[in-house]
Amino acid sequence: MNTPWNDFLAQQGATSVETGVRFEAPEAEVRAATDGTVVVPLVHLGLIRATGEDSVTLLHNLLSNDVKKLGTEDAQWSSFNSPKGRMIASLLLWKDTDGHMIATSADIQPMLLKKLSMYVLRSKAKLSDAGVDTVLLGLSGPEAASIATGAGYAVPLAPMKQSASGDARCIRLNENSLILAVPAAAASEVFGKLTAGGARKAGTAAWQAAMVRAGIPMITASVQEEFVAQMLNFDLIGGVSFNKGCYPGQEIVARMQYLGKLKKRMYRVHVATDTAPQPGTDLFAPDFGDQSAGKLVNVVPAADGGYEALAVLQSSSAAAGEAHLDTPTGPRVTFLDLPYALPEQ
């Protein structure tokens, strides 16, 4: 925990909540992210730094993506999986000055750091908590790039690219969403520049809403080891390499890709309910009766009421167009568009 940064956010009017921070009601923050450009302290993400001459090989042998091919101007999605191919953690990975940075959900970062460190053994690699000296800020909205540029940062032109500006990094996730990784000592100054440049300060819900709309899932503690990578569309967003060689769970992931029939995919849905559904809540569909047909992955308030979510669901149920939350007769979910196409089943 970076205490000076948290103290600064409190002075700015931020309130700590279970999922991160908020400056106002989550619904208002989501509306702000829908209507304009916001800057969000990404305190719901934890950081791990990998350094040492063997660190590339270590990460390459543990993660689902090809770390050896990750260039100095690239960023990539990846995952750390169980031997059964189930995702323990979803990751955003990029090269830093001294090695690699890994961003993951803050609630599983200590566990992930401990698990990955078990594989270091005698290799010349070191894994450490990077959150003590680095702060992540998210910019989301149509003016994200221009605001970051106005604050003095080089912004990559293409998605999943990164640029260095002194000690800071700018990672572009998509057209409207950027992550700035800045030294903790400079974070308050950077935050001030971005708000002065036109970004509205907003809490965690605003960023999570942007990720839900982008179809980018995040594994948290409540849904660990529930899904194979393809169920979360990681093969579609570039989070899996199918020709890099072995890593934990690789055999299961590869078999699903080449020999199996994927029966579940991740969809974006809306549910009209006044009570916030929790990640991991079951979904039911007529073709599966009393048996769960899927689960919610990430949930955020919707700008116009109710909640939006990323949900893994039986493809047959999605094709039929009917699913219900929590029970076979629970609130009906509505299917929304994703920004990328799902393969035909």
Side-chain angles (χ1 to χ4, degrees), residues 40-341:
V40 179
L42 302 183
V43 297
H44 68 295
L45 299 181
L47 283 171
I48 296 172
R49 179 179 286 111
T51 57
E53 61 184 85
D54 295 334
S55 62
V56 172
T57 300
L58 175 72
L59 295 179
H60 184 81
N61 292 338
L62 291 175
L63 305 182
S64 65
N65 218 333
D66 194 329
V67 181
K68 291 182 178 179
K69 290 185 178 179
L70 183 66
T72 57
E73 297 182 353
D74 299 327
Q76 68 179 201
W77 299 110
S78 194
S79 66
F80 178 62
N81 305 319
S82 73
K84 294 182 179 180
R86 301 280 167 159
M87 288 178 63
I88 295 173
S90 56
L91 316 170
L92 177 65
L93 184 70
W94 67 92
K95 275 194 173 183
D96 198 25
T97 304
D98 300 321
H100 289 78
M101 293 285 271
I102 298 169
T104 191
S105 180
D107 69 336
I108 64 174
Q109 186 265 9
M111 174 280 303
L112 181 63
L113 177 57
K114 183 177 180 180
K115 276 187 173 291
L116 295 180
S117 297
M118 293 171 58
Y119 292 89
V120 173
L121 300 177
R122 297 181 181 179
S123 66
K124 296 179 181 179
K126 180 181 179 181
L127 300 173
S128 59
D129 180 0
V132 297
D133 57 37
T134 304
V135 163
L136 298 181
L137 293 169
L139 271 170
S140 184
E143 303 301 322
S146 62
I147 290 173
T149 300
Y153 297 98
V155 177
L157 297 178
M160 300 311 292
K161 296 290 183 179
Q162 62 136 328
S163 299
S165 300
D167 293 331
R169 301 270 168 170
C170 178
I171 301 101
R172 185 167 205 150
L173 302 185
N174 54 38
E175 182 179 359
N176 290 333
S177 294
L178 312 173
I179 289 179
L180 292 176
V182 302
S188 57
E189 179 184 356
V190 175
F191 190 81
K193 287 182 178 179
L194 297 173
T195 55
R200 177 174 170 177
K201 59 185 178 183
T204 306
W207 183 261
Q208 291 175 326
M211 294 301 98
V212 166
R213 290 194 297 268
I216 299 173
M218 184 172 69
I219 293 292
T220 60
S222 56
V223 292
Q224 283 184 298
E225 299 192 51
E226 291 282 355
F227 313 111
V228 175
Q230 292 97 319
M231 294 179 186
L232 289 171
N233 300 345
F234 253 52
D235 55 326
L236 306 181
I237 65 172
V240 184
S241 170
F242 293 103
N243 52 21
K244 58 162 283 186
C246 293
Y247 57 89
Q250 181 266 343
E251 182 179 353
I252 304 299
V253 175
R255 185 185 304 152
M256 181 68 72
Q257 187 73 11
Y258 297 115
L259 300 177
K261 179 174 174 57
L262 187 63
K263 297 181 179 179
K264 291 182 178 180
R265 276 286 184 185
M266 188 181 74
Y267 301 86
R268 178 173 161 238
V269 301
H270 177 271
V271 57
T273 177
D274 294 330
T275 304
Q278 296 302 305
T281 300
D282 286 309
L283 295 174
F284 294 83
D287 56 335
F288 276 78
D290 292 335
Q291 180 183 352
S292 172
K295 290 181 180 292
L296 299 183
V297 183
N298 302 129
V299 183
V300 294
D304 297 324
Y307 292 84
E308 284 190 23
L310 294 176
V312 170
L313 185 66
Q314 292 282 345
S315 297
S316 61
S317 303
E322 182 176 352
H324 297 265
L325 179 70
D326 201 30
T327 70
T329 57
R332 184 166 178 168
V333 304
T334 303
F335 291 89
L336 305 175
D337 290 336
L338 285 169
Y340 49 80

